[in-house]
Amino acid sequence: MKYIDGHMHLENGPLTKEYVLQFVETAHQKGLDEIQILDHTHRFIEFEPIYEGLKVHDVQKTWLENKKMKFKDHISDFVDLMKDIQAMDLPVKVKYGLEVCYVPQYEDNIREVLSMYSFDFIVGAIHSIDGILYDMSFSKELLWNQYDVNHIYQRYYDLVFQLIKSDLFTQLAHPDTIKLFQIYPNYDLKPTYQKMAELLKQHHMKAENNVGCYYRYNHPDLGLSDELLRIFKDNDIPLIYASDAHKPQDVGNFIQEAMQRMNEF
């Protein structure tokens, strides 16, 4: 079996070979065979229109206006850099793609931008619920303390289902990261998980077993929940293990442990 880290970001650094090679070096030191480098679409100028809906809340508007982090680069610069990296003789195989914030009302915009470039993979992610980010320091005030938890979960998975059905993506990012604050609905999620598994299989998508919530948000689950792991395994959903590293030293974090855990199911 290949030892792969399927999800890491350059967003905290420049688009340079020197910075990318820090990720490669850590991967090599940790015995990885392959890494997948991707950045959030909010890094790229071409994707700025799909974030308009978030700007109705001042705190989100301020977050998006941080030009040191947001909408500062062109996609072509990223693609050219990664092609140069792939042409190098490296100890670890490098693939590249994007993590796309999927918002249904901007699906045509997303499709149009993606059609202009070639990537090794495209990761789809849900980061907001009807215009409100769910995973930020301000999310409890804007979302979790304002809306019914059952409604939040139902909307999140409705959006995940739409993402899968769009056929824009090869990989589903962190399928149950909505749990990151350890706030849960009072209904059984297993039927939802089963429907998600069936859709993933129908649309030929991989799902991530992403450990980012574990070490970045101190969630007790080492990746996906036990229930979701069992359902994915029972439905033969292809999994890719992912650190969700946002800095070079986190590449490969807890990948081996997550793989060992999966073997226990």
Side-chain angles (χ1 to χ4, degrees):
M1 177 183 291
K2 282 187 176 181
Y3 187 20
I4 299 171
D5 186 342
H7 188 134
M8 63 193 66
H9 297 287
L10 305 176
E11 68 173 33
N12 289 313
L15 291 181
T16 63
K17 286 183 181 180
E18 291 75 17
Y19 190 56
V20 174
L21 291 176
Q22 291 181 42
F23 287 77
V24 174
E25 178 58 28
T26 303
H28 181 51
Q29 290 174 359
K30 293 186 177 180
L32 290 167
D33 299 300
E34 181 179 306
I35 58 175
Q36 292 192 167
I37 295 177
L38 55 149
D39 258 351
H40 290 287
T41 41
H42 60 58
R43 178 174 192 143
F44 300 105
I45 295 165
E46 292 85 353
F47 280 107
E48 186 166 7
I50 75 172
Y51 292 89
E52 283 301 311
L54 297 181
K55 295 179 182 179
V56 297
H57 297 282
D58 289 343
V59 65
Q60 294 183 162
K61 187 172 185 288
T62 300
W63 179 73
L64 288 166
E65 288 174 345
N66 175 13
K67 292 299 184 179
K68 291 183 179 179
M69 295 288 289
K70 309 293 188 299
F71 315 120
K72 61 177 183 169
D73 295 301
H74 288 286
I75 300 170
S76 58
D77 295 329
F78 172 66
V79 171
D80 290 345
L81 170 64
M82 296 313 301
K83 286 181 177 177
D84 288 344
I85 291 290
Q86 288 183 328
M88 298 173 69
D89 183 16
L90 299 173
V92 174
K93 184 174 183 178
V94 177
K95 291 184 177 180
Y96 70 94
L98 295 174
E99 179 176 356
V100 179
C101 290
Y102 178 75
V103 186
Q105 55 265 44
Y106 294 102
E107 183 175 314
D108 289 342
N109 305 66
I110 294 169
R111 192 179 303 276
E112 181 180 0
V113 174
L114 292 178
S115 70
M116 293 186 264
Y117 304 92
S118 177
F119 299 97
D120 296 322
F121 59 92
I122 300 288
V123 177
I126 302 299
H127 286 111
S128 62
I129 309 294
D130 298 326
I132 306 176
L133 294 163
Y134 66 78
D135 59 350
M136 303 295 291
S137 59
F138 50 74
S139 295
K140 286 188 178 179
E141 180 181 351
L142 286 185
L143 181 70
W144 294 100
N145 295 343
Q146 299 293 329
Y147 296 90
D148 176 71
V149 172
N150 286 359
H151 171 75
I152 294 171
Y153 268 77
Q154 287 163 356
R155 283 297 296 142
Y156 174 78
Y157 283 106
D158 283 346
L159 291 165
V160 169
F161 297 159
Q162 287 181 265
L163 181 162
I164 297 169
K165 292 175 183 177
S166 74
D167 286 321
L168 285 168
F169 309 105
T170 60
Q171 187 169 311
L172 175 62
H174 38 66
D176 65 348
T177 192
I178 192 73
K179 69 186 178 184
L180 80 168
F181 292 126
Q182 300 183 54
I183 301 171
Y184 297 97
N186 59 19
Y187 67 90
D188 185 2
L189 282 166
K190 290 195 287 294
T192 300
Y193 292 161
Q194 180 62 34
K195 182 176 178 180
M196 178 165 53
E198 290 169 0
L199 284 171
L200 286 167
K201 178 170 283 190
Q202 181 182 344
H203 292 269
H204 310 290
M205 282 180 65
K206 295 179 181 178
E208 289 180 0
N209 192 358
N210 188 307
V211 299
C213 279
Y214 177 73
Y215 72 93
R216 295 178 63 216
Y217 294 94
N218 299 310
H219 193 283
D221 288 348
L222 183 59
L224 299 173
S225 69
D226 286 353
E227 287 181 339
L228 186 49
L229 273 178
R230 287 193 185 96
I231 287 171
F232 278 171
K233 186 171 184 178
D234 290 345
N235 286 272
D236 298 315
I237 302 304
L239 292 180
I240 186 161
Y241 294 84
S243 69
D244 214 328
H246 283 61
K247 48 191 176 182
Q249 57 265 41
D250 288 337
V251 171
N253 271 3
F254 300 102
I255 297 288
Q256 286 185 329
E257 292 88 340
M259 293 175 73
Q260 290 168 0
R261 175 175 170 243
M262 185 63 183
N263 290 334
E264 297 170 4
F265 283 84

